[in-house]
C-alpha cells in the first residue's frame, strides 16, 4: 500500500463484508502509525456519523471504523466505499467546488463512503512531533521525522461525483507500456550518472519499494488486481527515483525538459491502474 486511504478503504470494506475482523483493519492502520483520530468537519457530517459536534474532540481508531460502518451500512448497494487519488489537473472521484475536494487534492488521497444524499468524504492529515517544525533549516536530508499520528477529517457530501469505471484489463495493458517507458527513462539516467557519485538507480528503486511491502492486502483480492498494484508500485518508484536523478544525469535544460515530459504521463497511468485495482479488491470482498 502506498497511502493510508488505500489501507483503510480496502480493509474497512473487507470488515464490513465479513471477510476481515476489526483487528485486521487496526493492524493495517498501525503499519502507518499506532495513533489515529477522527473529527467531523461540519455539523451534517457529525449527524451522519455520530461524531461529536460542536466539540471537536479527537476520537480514536475504533471510532474511525464505527464512523465508516454507520454511513456504509445505510447505503443501498455495496461496496459503499470508494478511493480518490486526486492531483491538480486530475480530480477524478471528487465532487466539484467543495472544501473536501480542495483538501483531498492537497493530501493527494481521500475516501468517499455512502450513497448520494447521505455520503461523507474522509481526508487524512499526517501529524509529526512538535519539534519537527523547529528543526534547523537544511537538516531535511539528515532528519527524517517519524510519523506520530494520522488525523482523519470527515466532511458531509451533498452530491457524489460522476465517475466512469476503469477497466482493470485496460489499466494493466497501459501499465505494461508505462513499465517499458519508465525502464527506458531510468536506463538513460543511469548512463548519464555513471561518472557521478550517485547510488545505482536500481538500488534506489528497491529502497523506495521496501517500505510498501510491509502492508498486507486482503486475501480475497483478485490475483490480477494484486499484480497491477505491484507493477504500479514499481513504475511509481522508478518515477520517484528518475525525478531525483534528472538534474544530475542530464546536462542541458532541454534534456531535462524532455525527460520530465516523458515521465509526466506515467503518473496518470499509475493512478488509473491503482484505482482500477483497488475497485476490483473492494468488489471482491462482497463476492467472497
Amino acid at each position: 500500500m502506498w497511502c493510508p486511504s488505500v489501507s483503510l478503504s480496502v480493509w474497512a470494506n473487507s470488515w464490513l463484508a465479513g471477510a476481515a475482523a476489526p483487528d485486521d483493519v487496526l493492524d493495517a492502520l498501525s503499519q502507518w502509525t499506532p495513533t489515529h483520530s477522527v473529527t467531523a468537519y461540519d455539523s451534517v457530517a457529525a449527524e451522519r456519523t455520530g461524531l461529536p459536534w460542536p466539540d471537536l474532540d479527537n476520537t480514536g481508531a475504533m471510532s474511525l471504523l464505527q464512523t465508516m460502518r454507520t454511513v456504509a451500512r445505510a447505503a443501498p448497494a455495496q461496496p459503499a466505499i470508494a478511493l480518490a487519488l486526486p492531483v491538480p489537473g486530475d480530480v477524478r472521484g471528487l465532487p466539484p467546488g467543495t472544501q473536501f475536494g480542495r483538501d483531498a487534492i492537497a493530501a493527494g488521497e481521500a475516501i468517499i463512503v455512502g450513497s448520494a444524499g447521505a455520503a461523507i468524504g474522509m481526508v487524512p492529515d499526517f501529524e509529526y512531533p512538535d519539534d519537527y517544525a523547529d528543526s534547523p533549516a537544511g537538516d531535511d536530508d539528515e532528519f527524517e521525522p517519524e510519523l506520530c499520528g494520522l488525523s482523519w477529517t470527515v466532511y458531509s457530501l451533498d452530491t457524489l461525483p460522476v465517475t466512469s469505471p476503469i477497466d482493470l484489463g485496460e489499466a494493466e495493458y497501459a501499465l505494461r507500456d508505462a513499465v517499458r517507458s519508465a525502464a527506458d527513462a531510468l536506463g538513460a539516467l543511469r548512463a548519464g550518472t555513471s561518472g557521478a557519485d550517485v547510488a545505482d538507480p536500481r538500488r534506489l528503486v528497491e529502497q523506495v519499494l521496501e517500505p510498501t511491502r510491509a502492508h498486507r492486502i486482503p486475501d480475497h483480492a483478485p490475483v490480477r488486481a494484486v499484480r497491477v498494484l505491484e507493477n504500479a508500485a514499481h513504475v511509481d518508484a522508478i518515477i520517484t527515483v528518475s525525478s531525483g536523478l534528472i538534474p544530475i544525469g542530464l546536462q542541458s535544460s532541454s534534456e531535462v525538459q524532455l525527460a520530465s515530459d516523458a515521465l509526466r504521463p506515467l503518473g496518470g497511468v499509475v493512478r488509473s491502474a491503482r484505482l482500477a485495482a483497488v475497485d476490483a479488491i473492494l468488489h471482491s470482498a462482497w463476492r467472497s
Side-chain angles (χ1 to χ4, degrees):
M1 303 299 182
W2 66 97
C3 69
S5 292
V6 178
S7 297
L8 179 57
S9 60
V10 298
W11 281 105
N13 178 71
S14 294
W15 167 56
L16 292 171
D23 283 348
D24 293 321
V25 190
L26 298 178
D27 287 345
L29 291 175
S30 69
Q31 290 294 325
W32 294 100
T33 175
T35 305
H36 291 257
S37 62
V38 56
T39 57
Y41 179 80
D42 56 77
S43 60
V44 177
E47 181 180 351
R48 291 177 183 175
T49 60
L51 289 170
W53 184 270
D55 298 326
L56 299 180
D57 296 329
N58 286 330
T59 54
M62 281 305 301
S63 292
L64 184 61
L65 271 61
Q66 292 165 2
T67 294
M68 299 182 74
R69 179 176 62 182
T70 298
V71 179
R73 283 191 170 177
Q78 299 294 338
I81 296 175
L83 174 71
L85 300 173
V87 295
D90 182 0
V91 294
R92 287 174 290 179
L94 296 183
T98 62
Q99 186 62 47
F100 164 69
R102 290 186 286 272
D103 290 346
I105 293 172
E109 58 179 287
I111 301 172
I112 294 176
V113 185
S115 56
I120 59 170
M122 304 173 63
V123 177
D125 182 44
F126 291 83
E127 298 178 347
Y128 296 97
D130 292 338
D131 57 359
Y132 173 54
D134 299 329
S135 61
D139 285 357
D140 292 347
D141 293 336
E142 299 178 8
F143 177 62
E144 286 289 338
E146 182 177 353
L147 181 65
C148 66
L150 272 170
S151 175
W152 297 82
T153 302
V154 178
Y155 308 73
S156 63
L157 301 180
D158 295 328
T159 60
L160 290 181
V162 178
T163 58
S164 300
I166 303 171
D167 181 78
L168 184 59
E170 293 179 2
E172 183 175 30
Y173 182 80
L175 194 60
R176 287 174 183 166
D177 287 340
V179 169
R180 288 191 289 269
S181 298
D184 290 344
L186 189 64
L189 288 168
R190 183 167 177 254
T193 58
S194 58
D197 185 18
V198 178
D200 183 348
R202 291 173 298 184
R203 190 183 311 160
L204 295 175
V205 169
E206 284 301 311
Q207 290 175 358
V208 173
L209 286 171
E210 188 60 32
T212 68
R213 292 172 176 149
H215 298 274
R216 293 172 49 229
I217 298 175
D219 292 339
H220 58 76
V223 173
R224 189 178 207 177
V226 174
R227 182 173 66 241
V228 167
L229 287 181
E230 290 173 347
N231 289 336
H234 190 71
V235 174
D236 195 32
I238 291 177
I239 294 171
T240 299
V241 171
S242 298
S243 298
L245 292 179
I246 282 175
I248 302 173
L250 301 178
Q251 303 301 318
S252 68
S253 59
S254 60
E255 288 178 329
V256 170
Q257 185 63 47
L258 287 172
S260 299
D261 290 344
L263 288 175
R264 191 171 296 112
L266 301 183
V269 174
V270 168
R271 284 193 302 278
S272 293
R274 283 172 161 170
L275 288 170
V278 169
D279 187 62
I281 293 172
L282 293 173
H283 280 84
S284 70
W286 298 91
R287 295 192 295 265
S288 61

